[in-house]
Amino acid sequence: MCGIVGIIANEPVAEKIVEALRRLEYRGYDSAGLATLEQGHLTRRRAAGKLKNLEEKLRQEPLHGTIGIGHTRWATHGRPTENNAHPHATKRVAVVHNGIIENFRELREELTAQGHVFVSETDTEVVAHLVDHELQSGKSPSEAVAAALPRLRGAFALAFLFEGAEGLLIGARLGAPLAVGYGTDAMYLGSDALALAPFTDRISYMEDGDWVVLDRNSAHFTNAKGQSVTRPHLRSQASAFLIDKGNHRHFMAKEIHEQPEVVGRTLAHYLDMSQGCVRLPFDLPFDPAQISRITITACGTAFFAGLIAKYWIERFARLPVEIDVASEFRYREAPMDPQGLMIVVSQSGETADTLAGLRYAKQNGQNILSVVNVTTSTMARESDVIAPTLAGPEIGVASTKAFTCQLTVLACLAVALGRARGTLSPEVEKTLVTELIALPGLMAEAMKREAAIESLAPALAKAKDVLYLGRGTSYPLALEGALKLKEISYIHAEGYAAGELKHGPIALIDEAMPVIVIAPFDHVFEKTVSNMQEVAARGGKLILIGDDNAERDSAVALQATIKMPTMAPTFSAIAYSIPVQLLAYHIAVFMGKDVDQPRNLAKSVTVE
Ligand code: M6R
């Protein structure tokens, strides 16, 4: 969840480290810091809060070293204060860390008994002291790191800088991503290739258990067994992506508006438009006809994409789909069919719980298909087959375009499975493909409702609680709507299956409760109308997201309608995501919230 960087070059590195940290800020933004060697001496600058606070500090007290490490933090152990900010250091070594050291308490006790003095509340500080202890016993930096790493339990990506060692950076990885970048007389470490994109596109991804020693021209990898290994050099595509907001106020707004384009791009990758069929851009390494069951696991928004896909896969491919949030799936020892397929869904491809779910499924003999946005991610590399979403980098912490691209890929996959299993006729496939092709246009049309949606924000911003209701695929979308609203506006919101309301939550309804009903004109629309009547009868304020037909047939007093274009209902969740996202966005903006970097959150959750 934190971002780490290391640079060894022939010119001052502080500015470049800050630039890389800016590209990693999506991973955490509670505090930031960097360390360089100034005339051989470890020197740090750290600041609580956003990266701009560190930049201000560096303006006042610049650093000139040609080797350094940097960090942007998402706090796990210890408050987001300057004192807890990384790098953590002793006289001899400084370290930045992404992950959690699970046995830090026992290590801290042991090191304290040996005379080490701890000054922060973090788990990371033990790593600095552990390595320091080995250095004090006469080991070289590499030997000290080699001796310390096996003592750490948990997940980590680490970068080390040593007092007096102008030509040496060390990185290590276990359960959290770390990439090595190759420059000209310069070498880099970074949590992802995106961070290093301004400096190099030549990358090696470290494997779990690897550690690496860098000088200005080379990298020497050692694997978990202590063997010297090589890691392939890859060309990263990350530099192709501009990380800016364009004409938008926020990344989230830009990413919402990009959706017709990126969903169109994703469709073009998965469909043969001229033939009116799905053509997967990869071979399935298993026979879909032999699959007995699908398990989906994911977290947050990606989980809701999986939940929507369950409706599609069960309907088209007639396969039972089990789905669970990854933090539960990974520990509940689910029995798995020998012929099963596991689908993991993740924007980052690094989410710790989802990755653990993937590994559990792999150990249990499942075929692993990952729907990921970052195709160089750990999940992608550990899967049997990757179904990429072509959303491009998503910087806003609230997932928007990654979600609709996940839905697009999963929809195509569901149709492809149906065809391969003979449960979907070519005629029906053609109709479904026509409906998919219409989606980018419908999303662009939905975007035109933005001004109307924005006008609802002042009233909704006063609400203490908001309910979202939906049936069928609109039910997971209601869950996603509630998540979107709470994570960026901090208004409490819940999503419910519309038919479930009467089993308890209806007790919450009163005049102060806005109830947002996602109701495309589908086969369950009339049922949803009954649930709307129940809300209206109790004075709830109904806001309908639906088309002309839905508004006409709802026959209840509505506070407002967000008017959607008329569309075939099967994939409506993809187009209806637009008003759901815009509504949360405008409420949060009206309330003056930091929509791109909401409090307490991070984009990539690489800790459990
Ligand atoms: O990178 P992933 O898709 O695996 O991330 C999963 C969740 O952490 C993510 O979707 C999160 O819920 C978003 N902030 C929601 O907007």
Side-chain angles (χ1 to χ4, degrees), residues 403-423:
F403 176 63
T404 47
C405 285
Q406 285 160 354
L407 290 176
T408 304
V409 169
L410 289 162
C412 293
L413 199 60
V415 174
L417 289 173
R419 282 289 292 123
R421 291 171 58 79
T423 50

Side-chain angles (χ1 to χ4, degrees), residues 45-60:
R45 300 284 181 267
R46 299 180 296 164
K50 298 263 176 84
L51 187 59
K52 61 181 187 324
N53 300 345
L54 176 67
E55 289 181 83
E56 184 48 40
K57 209 162 218 182
L58 282 164
R59 254 189 295 279
Q60 287 163 15

Side-chain angles (χ1 to χ4, degrees), residues 265-465:
R265 190 196 304 159
T266 303
L267 283 171
H269 201 61
Y270 284 83
L271 300 182
D272 181 335
M273 304 220 186
S274 62
Q275 298 297 311
C277 63
V278 173
R279 209 172 297 289
L280 296 179
F282 45 78
D283 290 329
L284 290 174
F286 51 85
D287 177 0
Q290 300 304 319
I291 293 289
S292 56
R293 164 178 296 273
I294 292 183
T295 308
I296 303 180
T297 199
C299 299
T301 292
F303 169 72
F304 297 138
L307 208 47
I308 291 174
K310 174 182 164 79
Y311 288 79
W312 292 332
I313 296 170
E314 289 188 339
R315 185 168 146 204
F316 304 152
R318 309 307 301 153
L319 265 172
V321 177
E322 192 188 347
I323 172 160
D324 205 353
V325 288
S327 52
E328 289 303 314
F329 174 75
R330 64 181 292 185
Y331 289 117
R332 75 179 162 81
E333 298 177 30
M336 308 200 84
D337 283 6
Q339 301 288 357
L341 167 65
M342 161 61 96
I343 302 179
V344 295
V345 187
S346 175
Q347 188 285 127
S348 62
E350 300 293 351
T351 301
D353 287 320
T354 312
L355 184 58
L358 178 159
R359 288 175 177 161
Y360 175 85
K362 209 170 188 176
Q363 280 160 14
N364 283 272
Q366 304 297 288
N367 296 289
I368 311 286
L369 185 150
S370 62
V371 178
V372 287
N373 199 34
V374 182
T375 51
T376 50
S377 59
T378 311
M379 274 179 228
R381 282 180 283 126
E382 294 193 14
S383 298
D384 298 314
V385 59
I386 313 167
T389 51
L390 305 186
E394 189 179 66
I395 305 300
V397 164
S399 188
T400 53
K401 62 176 183 169
F403 176 63
T404 47
C405 285
Q406 285 160 354
L407 290 176
T408 304
V409 169
L410 289 162
C412 293
L413 199 60
V415 174
L417 289 173
R419 282 289 292 123
R421 291 171 58 79
T423 50
L424 202 67
S425 69
E427 294 70 38
V428 177
E429 177 179 23
K430 206 166 204 149
T431 307
L432 292 173
V433 167
T434 307
E435 292 175 15
L436 285 168
I437 293 170
L439 282 168
L442 292 164
M443 295 170 94
E445 192 57 34
M447 215 73 80
K448 294 184 187 154
R449 309 329 191 236
E450 182 160 13
I453 293 170
E454 189 177 358
S455 72
L456 301 175
L460 287 169
K462 293 192 192 113
K464 278 188 67 194
D465 311 276

Side-chain angles (χ1 to χ4, degrees), residues 85-375:
H86 300 213
H88 289 284
T90 64
K91 258 181 72 92
R92 295 164 196 83
V93 60
V95 63
V96 287
H97 168 215
N98 168 28
I100 291 178
I101 306 299
E102 286 170 358
N103 58 336
F104 82 98
R105 276 194 196 84
E106 61 200 68
L107 290 173
R108 195 172 164 134
E109 274 168 27
E110 175 189 317
L111 289 157
T112 304
Q114 287 163 343
H116 289 261
V117 177
F118 287 83
V119 294
S120 80
E121 302 161 312
T122 66
D123 53 337
T124 305
E125 200 183 355
V126 295
V127 183
H129 282 276
L130 203 57
V131 173
D132 184 272
H133 197 72
E134 301 294 346
L135 289 168
Q136 283 192 60
S137 75
K139 293 194 171 77
S140 70
S142 302
E143 289 165 348
V145 170
L149 290 177
R151 302 217 48 209
L152 303 177
R153 272 208 323 272
F156 52 79
L158 298 162
F160 296 95
L161 180 67
F162 299 89
E163 174 91 357
E166 294 278 0
L168 174 73
L169 269 184
I170 295 183
R173 166 197 173 154
L174 186 74
L178 192 59
V180 172
Y182 304 83
T184 309
D185 294 328
M187 294 289 292
Y188 306 91
L189 286 170
S191 290
D192 64 29
L194 204 60
L196 307 182
F199 321 124
T200 182
D201 63 351
R202 285 187 298 134
I203 297 289
S204 288
Y205 290 98
M206 294 176 67
E207 299 290 329
D208 255 354
D210 279 0
W211 59 283
V212 64
V213 176
L214 304 181
D215 58 27
R216 285 182 174 75
N217 298 298
S218 60
H220 299 280
F221 296 89
T222 304
N223 69 11
K225 294 182 187 145
Q227 297 156 329
S228 179
V229 286
T230 53
R231 297 295 173 215
H233 289 216
L234 307 170
R235 286 271 169 202
S236 151
Q237 300 297 311
S239 56
F241 295 111
L242 280 176
I243 308 294
D244 71 21
K245 296 179 194 152
N247 294 325
H248 296 276
R249 242 176 106 185
H250 301 102
F251 281 110
M252 183 177 176
K254 176 178 173 243
E255 288 158 5
I256 290 174
H257 282 266
E258 278 173 358
Q259 289 176 105
E261 189 193 328
V262 293
V263 165
R265 190 196 304 159
T266 303
L267 283 171
H269 201 61
Y270 284 83
L271 300 182
D272 181 335
M273 304 220 186
S274 62
Q275 298 297 311
C277 63
V278 173
R279 209 172 297 289
L280 296 179
F282 45 78
D283 290 329
L284 290 174
F286 51 85
D287 177 0
Q290 300 304 319
I291 293 289
S292 56
R293 164 178 296 273
I294 292 183
T295 308
I296 303 180
T297 199
C299 299
T301 292
F303 169 72
F304 297 138
L307 208 47
I308 291 174
K310 174 182 164 79
Y311 288 79
W312 292 332
I313 296 170
E314 289 188 339
R315 185 168 146 204
F316 304 152
R318 309 307 301 153
L319 265 172
V321 177
E322 192 188 347
I323 172 160
D324 205 353
V325 288
S327 52
E328 289 303 314
F329 174 75
R330 64 181 292 185
Y331 289 117
R332 75 179 162 81
E333 298 177 30
M336 308 200 84
D337 283 6
Q339 301 288 357
L341 167 65
M342 161 61 96
I343 302 179
V344 295
V345 187
S346 175
Q347 188 285 127
S348 62
E350 300 293 351
T351 301
D353 287 320
T354 312
L355 184 58
L358 178 159
R359 288 175 177 161
Y360 175 85
K362 209 170 188 176
Q363 280 160 14
N364 283 272
Q366 304 297 288
N367 296 289
I368 311 286
L369 185 150
S370 62
V371 178
V372 287
N373 199 34
V374 182
T375 51

